[in-house]
Amino acid sequence: MSDRTAKAPDLAVILAGAGEGRRMEGLGPKALLQVGGSTRLERVAHPAVGEIVAAVPERLVPEARSRLDALPNPRGARVTAVAGGTTRQESVRLGMDALQRSLSYIAVHDVARALVDGALISRVLEAARETGAAIPALPLRDTVKEVERGRIVRTIPRDRLQGAQTPQIFARDILARAHARSAATDAGATDDAWLVEAAGVPVAVVPGDPSNLKLTEPSDVIAIESHLRAGGAS
C-alpha cells in the first residue's frame, strides 16, 4: 500500500462495527469475525493513517483493544477501541469523540467491508484532500424498482445511480459539523456522506472497487474467502 502524496500521517480512521451481527446466524459481531484468517480490525493499514478508533459492541471492547494492540504498527499510529452506540450515527460520533490526534482528515469505514485495500483508500483520500469530502462508489448493475406493498410503484433509471462504499473520507471540520447538525435534527442517515450532503457540502465520488465486498450474511463469508483464495487483494 502506498500514498506518495502523504509526507506525514494526516488521516484518522473510525471503524464502524458496533452491530451485533444478527443476520450472521450465530457467527457473531463482524468486527471480530475471522475471514481469511484475520478479523476486520486487522485489515486496515495505510501510510497516511495516524490513528484508528474502532467502535464495537461494549462487551467486546477489551478483546478488540487487545487485537488492535497486537497489530504491527511500525509508524506508531494510535489504535484503540470504544463502545459504540445504538445507531451507526451514534457509533461514529463516539468514535470521533475518542480521537486524540489532530489529524486533518477522518475516514469512516464499515467493518463489513472486509477487503478494502490501500489503492482504494489512496483514491478516496486524494479526492478528499482536493474537495473536502469524498466517497467510493460503483454504478448499479441491476434494474432498480421502487416497491410499495409488494407492487412496483416505478422503475428508476439507473444511468445516474451508484452504490456507495466505504471508506468515506472527510475533512475533520466538515464531518464534525455534519454530525453536530444530525444530532440536532435526528436525520437517521445510513452513511456519513448523507449527513455531509444534508449539511450542504458537495461530496466527490471516485471509482469504487468491485472487490470491496460487504459482509452481511453467512454466505458472504464463503464468497470473500473464495475471493481471497483466488488471489484477490486483502
Side-chain angles (χ1 to χ4, degrees), residues 13 28 36 49 103 149 165-166 194 226:
V13 177
V49 174
L103 301 174
R149 298 178 181 176
Q165 298 183 333
T166 65
W194 183 341
S226 296

Side-chain angles (χ1 to χ4, degrees), residues 82-98:
V82 297
T86 57
T87 66
R88 186 183 188 281
Q89 284 177 245
E90 185 181 6
S91 293
V92 173
R93 283 200 294 270
L94 290 168
M96 292 172 63
D97 290 343

Side-chain angles (χ1 to χ4, degrees), residues 5 21 31 38 54 59 102 109 139 144 162 199 202:
T5 65
S38 63
R59 62 185 177 82
S102 298
H109 183 60
V144 180
Q162 298 199 22

Side-chain angles (χ1 to χ4, degrees), residues 4-20:
R4 297 176 183 177
T5 65
K7 296 181 179 179
D10 63 351
L11 181 64
V13 177
I14 296 172
L15 295 176
E20 289 289 346

Side-chain angles (χ1 to χ4, degrees), residues 95-129:
M96 292 172 63
D97 290 343
L99 294 174
Q100 293 185 7
R101 297 184 177 177
S102 298
L103 301 174
S104 299
Y105 298 92
I106 296 176
V108 182
H109 183 60
D110 294 333
V111 295
R113 297 280 180 185
L115 299 182
V116 64
D117 71 2
L120 179 61
I121 296 171
S122 291
R123 284 201 300 274
V124 184
L125 179 57
E126 181 178 356
R129 286 172 177 159

Side-chain angles (χ1 to χ4, degrees), residues 12-96:
V13 177
I14 296 172
L15 295 176
E20 289 289 346
R22 291 183 175 86
R23 284 182 287 181
M24 296 305 296
E25 297 180 4
L27 293 179
K30 299 168 193 173
L32 297 183
L33 176 63
Q34 290 217 0
V35 179
S38 63
T39 69
R40 310 306 94 241
L41 298 180
E42 295 170 84
R43 289 189 182 274
V44 178
H46 190 277
V49 174
E51 184 169 19
I52 299 173
V53 173
V56 302
E58 184 174 9
R59 62 185 177 82
L60 297 181
V61 169
E63 184 177 357
R65 286 179 176 171
S66 177
R67 287 184 179 275
L68 286 168
D69 287 344
L71 296 182
N73 190 8
R75 294 177 179 268
R78 175 182 178 265
V79 294
T80 191
V82 297
T86 57
T87 66
R88 186 183 188 281
Q89 284 177 245
E90 185 181 6
S91 293
V92 173
R93 283 200 294 270
L94 290 168
M96 292 172 63

